[in-house]
């Protein structure tokens, strides 16, 4: 057993039953000209997460933790895109429309893929998800179950959207989640802070929040 400093109290974990889950570090959210920018956001606010995620990713690979990557996006024919999600925002550039990195949030397009710095290695599962949560309409639960994973260490973007939705889904499915505060980011600093506070409040109502440094120290 390993112990990582965290809030509301130390996160106790067994590395062999623990997975690193990196949420949606796609060009579409992190780079200019993608879906995040089409929503009206300043994507540069997310870029501070890249270096610490890379460090955690290397530590996890060294310790043979299961590493799982997720990507939000849709089929090229948009058949899995709910009309409500398509309409939402009254945007000039919508999901499926062409942008400088290809069609926005469409699988197989350059913008949909994970940034080079955090590119998955062969053998690391990539979960393509049509929603915000990584469990909804995916095989994530089956993959975690087949590897006997009980705990998730969560990184990625954005803190209050896809990270929080996934942590809440995981919590209801019986997983312990540790969210690394320097490895998650939002276009809205105040939402980032509130989302993290909501996770660890009330005795860890959804899970734990700690730093990447504390987690890496605990991994040894
Ligand atoms: N808009 C926003 O903050 N996020 C998303 O739409 N997706 C993810 O968080 N990945």
């Amino acid at each position: 057993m390993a112990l990582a400093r965290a809030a509301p109290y130390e996160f106790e974990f067994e590395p062999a039953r623990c997975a690193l889950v990196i949420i949606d570090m796609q060009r579409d959210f992190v780079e200019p000209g993608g879906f995040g920018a089409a929503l009206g956001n300043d994507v540069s606010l997310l870029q501070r997460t890249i270096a610490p995620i890379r460090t955690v990713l290397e530590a996890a690979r060294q310790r043979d933790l299961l590493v799982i990557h997720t990507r939000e996006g849709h089929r090229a024919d948009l058949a899995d895109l709910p009309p409500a999600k398509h309409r939402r925002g009254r945007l000039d550039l919508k999901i499926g429309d062409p942008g400088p990195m290809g069609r926005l949030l469409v699988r197989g397009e350059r913008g949909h893929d994970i940034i080079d710095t955090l590119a998955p290695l062969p053998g690391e599962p990539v979960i393509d998800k049509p929603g915000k949560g990584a469990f909804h309409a995916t095989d994530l639960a089956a993959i975690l179950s087949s590897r006997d994973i009980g705990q998730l260490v969560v990184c990625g973007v954005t803190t209050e959207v896809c990270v929080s939705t996934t942590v809440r889904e995981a919590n209801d499915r019986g997983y312990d989640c540790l969210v690394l505060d320097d490895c998650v980011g939002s276009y809205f600093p105040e939402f980032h802070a509130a989302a993290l506070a909501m996770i660890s409040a009330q005795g860890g109502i959804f899970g734990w929040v700690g730093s990447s440094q504390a987690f890496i120290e605990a991994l040894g």
Side-chain angles (χ1 to χ4, degrees):
M1 278 292 177
L3 277 182
R5 272 179 294 112
Y9 51 86
E10 64 281 358
F11 180 75
E12 190 176 344
F13 66 100
E14 195 182 332
R17 298 199 58 227
C18 187
L20 177 67
V21 180
I22 304 178
I23 307 280
D24 299 3
M25 289 302 289
Q26 299 160 257
R27 296 189 185 96
D28 255 323
F29 292 109
V30 176
E31 293 185 3
F35 180 62
L39 294 173
N41 298 305
D42 173 4
V43 296
S44 71
L45 287 160
L46 304 187
Q47 287 165 6
R48 64 156 182 81
T49 63
I50 297 170
I53 297 176
R54 170 84 196 193
T55 305
V56 171
L57 178 58
E58 283 168 3
R61 283 171 174 164
Q62 250 169 23
R63 291 294 313 267
D64 288 323
L65 257 66
L66 175 64
V67 176
I68 293 178
H69 307 259
T70 75
R71 300 184 295 202
E72 179 180 351
H74 296 279
R75 295 163 49 105
D77 61 7
L78 305 185
D80 61 349
L81 175 60
K85 181 175 178 182
H86 202 195
R87 278 194 303 269
R88 190 79 47 79
R90 298 178 174 171
L91 304 170
D92 294 333
L93 264 183
K94 299 200 300 293
I95 295 172
D97 288 349
M101 297 186 290
R103 294 177 66 204
L104 293 184
L105 229 55
V106 168
R107 295 179 192 150
E109 302 289 338
R110 179 172 164 77
H112 175 266
D113 211 355
I114 294 169
I115 58 173
D116 291 337
T117 319
L118 303 176
L121 288 181
E124 294 176 351
V126 177
I127 306 291
D128 278 323
K129 61 187 181 69
K132 305 306 183 193
F135 288 87
H136 169 68
T138 73
D139 53 8
L140 176 58
I143 291 172
L144 296 176
S145 163
S146 75
R147 311 266 187 127
D148 196 29
I149 298 293
Q151 297 182 303
L152 309 180
V153 175
V154 183
C155 299
V157 297
T158 63
T159 317
E160 79 280 14
V161 182
C162 292
V163 170
S164 287
T165 304
T166 298
V167 166
R168 288 171 184 223
E169 286 182 327
N171 178 65
D172 279 348
R173 286 164 174 77
Y175 296 95
D176 286 329
C177 292
L178 168 66
V179 178
L180 302 181
D181 55 10
D182 52 330
C183 295
V184 293
S186 169
Y187 304 117
F188 303 89
E190 67 276 28
F191 293 170
H192 170 82
L196 291 178
M198 283 181 219
I199 289 166
S200 64
Q202 304 182 70
I205 197 84
F206 296 121
W208 285 257
V209 176
S211 69
S212 60
Q213 191 195 336
F215 175 64
I216 290 168
E217 280 172 14
L219 264 183

